[in-house]
Amino acid sequence: MPTGKDELRCFAVGPLQTNCYAYISDGSCMVVDPGGQGAEVASALGDVSVGLIVATHGHGDHVGGVLKLKEATGAPYAIHPADAERATHAGEVSEIGIAYDDDAPLPDREIREGDVLRVGTASFEAVEAPGHTPGGVVLLGGGSAEGVAFVGDTIFPGSHGRTDLDGGDEATILATLHRLAGLIPAQTTLFCGHGPSTTMAAELARNPFL
């Protein structure tokens, strides 16, 4: 969980109730996965300065709110380049029959393995996590965010993100999970793209895919 004066807010947005997270440190804010209701999220964060919008991957339910949030805050938007084009179709009807608020714009910043995103006294290292989509990333906290990780749809309690959608690959996500098992400290809280959070220790103990 956030340490010191840092704060984490979560908004369940869009038709799939995607977890949109706002990590706040020293008055600055990074928004992770605004899958819908971007203007409403911006309004709810009116007491802080949104400095960055980042997507863990490019599915519409994670980027459908980027455009409105960006328009409201002026914050730059970042995503892995392998998912940038996919995100520009968020407003179209998807293969599961759902359209999200808006197509995401092209990113202001591309994030790759080892890139560090900073917000106040917190930092988040990008870890490439393909499998659910080719451009999935995990954001692993450091500084005052040590013990926090945003895992998108890569890890769920006892499971992993689906791989039967376009761009998904089961062998790839299993390799990603094996790598994450050796990379993310056990005491880390994993904030997932949908549903409840979990911990790396709990997943190492019970998740058959790790």
Side-chain angles (χ1 to χ4, degrees), residues 1-9 22-30 47-48 119-122 124 142-146 148:
M1 298 296 290
T3 59
K5 296 181 178 179
D6 288 5
E7 179 186 357
L8 180 64
R9 301 179 192 175
Y23 194 96
I24 302 163
S25 178
D26 199 23
S28 186
C29 175
M30 179 180 76
D47 59 324
V48 296
V119 52
T121 57
F124 291 89
S144 58
E146 186 174 354
V148 170

Side-chain angles (χ1 to χ4, degrees), residues 16-85:
L16 298 185
Q17 292 291 278
T18 301
N19 289 329
C20 169
Y21 297 103
Y23 194 96
I24 302 163
S25 178
D26 199 23
S28 186
C29 175
M30 179 180 76
V31 178
V32 180
D33 289 346
Q37 302 165 238
E40 290 87 343
V41 171
S43 179
L45 296 173
D47 59 324
V48 296
S49 175
V50 177
L52 181 64
I53 303 162
V54 59
T56 59
H57 64 286
H59 281 155
D61 62 315
H62 288 254
V63 298
V66 168
L67 181 63
K68 291 293 193 297
L69 181 60
K70 181 176 165 62
E71 289 176 346
T73 64
Y77 154 59
I79 192 171
H80 191 283
D83 270 19
E85 196 276 336

